[in-house]
Amino acid sequence: MDEIVKIINDIKVGNIKPIYFLMGEESYYIDKLTEYLEDNLLTEDEKGFNQMVLYGRDTTIDDIVSNAKRYPMMAERQVIIVKEAQDLSRTIDKIEAYVNNPQPTTVLVFAYKYGKVDKRKKWIKSIAKNHILFESEKLKDFKVADWIKRVLQGRGFSIEPKAAIMLQEFLGNDLSRIANELSKLEIILPKGSTITPDHIEQNIGISKDFNVYELRKAIGEKNHHKAFQILNYFHQNPKSIPKVLLIGQLFGYFSNLLKYHGLKDKTQGNVASALGIHPFFVDEYRIAAANFPMKKVSTVINKLKVVDGMSKGVGASNLEDIELYKEFLISVM
């Protein structure tokens, strides 16, 4: 985010580069930067003749270069924005000649999403040195809750840790989806509000009591009754979580629990770093480790592999999901 702030601040003081190449797996910041460039490099009067938006699937590098070499009309510069530039991946190297000799009165923006260009290429190195190369990396899952907190703080809201975890568990690390849901909450709730699990449940539809986070916690605490209630809820509401995702989440949880047993340094910071989890979860792992010795954890992981196969019809194609869940819980508890 510091890099984004610097790019925007430079633009505000008139330090505008001829080329902005925005690339990476995380589309959220690419979209936000593209939107800022589209809205702020020209006045509304100048945009009519001097701003052009192209799409990778509908254009070619030759067309982009041809447009970029034109002169602006009654304005200091023209702006050309190439959205979905990843659709030009097979021919993108042809931009090299223009990169080495860009039109100084043109600002050329590439929004290259869901991937990136090899940074060893000469023209990419040239952009990094002389223009703006921005790479948007996918945010690690355990950092998403903190990201949610920071975004909301910047907008005058706060959020309870469990509420942030609920969003992260349900939406993963898709920042665009998360930001969209946060925007809905900001419309509904008065500024200055603290977002709670109840707000998430009532307005986004994520149950505060029946979700993967609560299931993991119940299993870790060996709370058989609560764990079965949650699994029964998943069975009755199959859209609440895909079966494959549920098994994957449990597999990841017990794999991390196995790693926890192998750690010599079990301080909160080291555990969070070693397991790639939010510090909020460390106590949960401590409790689960006391209830599940290393040997038992290995047994559970093997059972999950069997359940995964059975859920796909291997050796038990006629069993309903709830029967699989029962069998798994019985073996775990």
Side-chain angles (χ1 to χ4, degrees):
M1 292 183 73
D2 291 342
E3 187 178 356
I4 295 170
V5 171
K6 184 179 184 307
I7 291 171
I8 291 174
N9 286 340
D10 282 347
I11 291 170
K12 287 179 177 178
V13 298
N15 183 13
I16 300 170
K17 300 293 185 180
I19 300 175
Y20 290 80
F21 200 94
L22 320 175
M23 67 178 187
E25 295 292 340
E26 178 51 66
S27 64
Y28 177 78
Y29 287 117
I30 295 174
D31 287 338
K32 287 298 180 184
L33 270 176
T34 302
E35 182 181 319
Y36 182 84
L37 292 163
E38 189 173 355
D39 291 344
N40 293 280
L41 292 180
L42 298 174
T43 67
E44 290 302 319
D45 291 338
E46 292 172 335
K47 288 177 183 178
F49 291 106
N50 297 290
Q51 185 155 291
M52 179 181 295
V53 177
L54 304 172
Y55 289 85
R57 65 180 178 274
D58 300 323
T59 191
T60 66
I61 295 297
D62 289 339
D63 287 340
I64 294 168
V65 170
S66 177
N67 284 301
K69 287 184 175 180
R70 293 186 312 171
Y71 289 96
M73 294 180 62
M74 297 178 290
E76 183 180 349
R77 66 179 66 88
Q78 69 161 342
V79 177
I80 297 176
I81 298 172
V82 185
K83 297 184 177 181
E84 308 297 339
Q86 67 275 9
D87 290 333
L88 292 164
S89 59
R90 294 183 179 180
T91 58
I92 194 73
D93 289 343
K94 292 174 66 177
I95 198 67
E96 182 170 2
Y98 181 82
V99 168
N100 293 331
N101 187 28
Q103 180 74 7
T105 55
T106 294
V107 178
L108 178 57
V109 181
F110 285 92
Y112 193 105
K113 301 193 290 187
Y114 315 119
K116 54 186 178 181
V117 177
D118 188 343
K119 289 193 287 187
R120 295 172 296 182
K121 293 179 180 290
K122 288 183 179 179
W123 63 270
I124 279 287
K125 288 182 178 179
S126 179
I127 289 177
K129 181 179 179 181
N130 303 305
H131 307 282
I132 295 294
L133 176 65
F134 172 76
E135 187 172 353
S136 184
E137 298 281 3
K138 271 288 184 187
L139 200 62
K140 299 293 184 183
D141 285 347
F142 69 94
K143 293 183 177 181
V144 172
D146 284 337
W147 180 86
I148 292 171
K149 181 180 177 181
R150 288 197 307 273
V151 168
L152 287 171
Q153 282 178 337
R155 299 175 183 176
F157 292 82
S158 58
I159 187 168
E160 292 183 5
K162 183 179 175 180
I165 295 298
M166 286 170 63
L167 285 170
Q168 187 269 315
E169 291 282 346
F170 188 73
L171 300 173
N173 62 352
D174 187 333
L175 301 188
S176 295
R177 285 184 67 198
I178 294 172
N180 186 50
E181 298 299 340
L182 294 180
S183 296
K184 294 177 185 177
L185 291 171
E186 290 167 25
I187 293 171
I188 296 166
L189 301 174
K191 199 160 189 176
S193 297
T194 296
I195 296 170
T196 67
D198 285 331
H199 291 137
I200 302 296
E201 183 174 54
Q202 293 163 9
N203 298 293
I204 298 179
I206 307 170
S207 172
K208 70 178 188 298
D209 298 313
F210 299 99
N211 54 64
V212 177
Y213 162 65
E214 292 294 342
L215 174 62
R216 288 190 331 224
K217 186 177 179 183
I219 292 175
E221 294 172 350
K222 285 203 168 180
N223 187 335
H224 181 279
H225 178 69
K226 185 175 181 181
F228 183 76
Q229 278 187 319
I230 295 170
L231 285 173
N232 189 57
Y233 174 86
F234 290 158
H235 177 65
Q236 298 295 329
N237 301 272
K239 291 184 178 180
S240 62
I241 182 168
K243 183 168 51 180
V244 173
L245 180 59
L246 171 59
I247 295 173
Q249 289 270 12
L250 291 175
F251 185 84
Y253 174 69
F254 279 99
S255 296
N256 266 349
L257 192 54
L258 196 64
K259 292 179 186 176
Y260 179 90
H261 277 296
L263 293 176
K264 292 182 179 179
D265 180 0
K266 289 185 170 64
T267 58
Q268 186 183 56
N270 188 65
V271 171
S273 176
L275 302 188
I277 61 172
H278 192 279
F280 181 79
F281 290 120
V282 172
D283 283 341
E284 176 189 326
Y285 277 90
R286 288 193 181 118
I287 293 169
N291 287 324
F292 291 87
M294 184 178 286
K295 187 176 180 179
K296 178 64 174 177
V297 175
S298 298
T299 302
V300 173
I301 289 173
N302 288 330
K303 182 62 180 178
L304 275 169
K305 292 178 181 178
V306 173
V307 170
D308 183 45
M310 293 169 69
S311 72
K312 297 170 182 173
V314 179
S317 57
N318 294 325
L319 281 181
E320 289 190 10
D321 291 347
I322 193 63
E323 297 302 322
L324 290 174
Y325 296 155
K326 282 181 182 178
E327 184 174 331
F328 170 71
L329 271 187
I330 290 169
S331 66
V332 167
M333 299 296 185

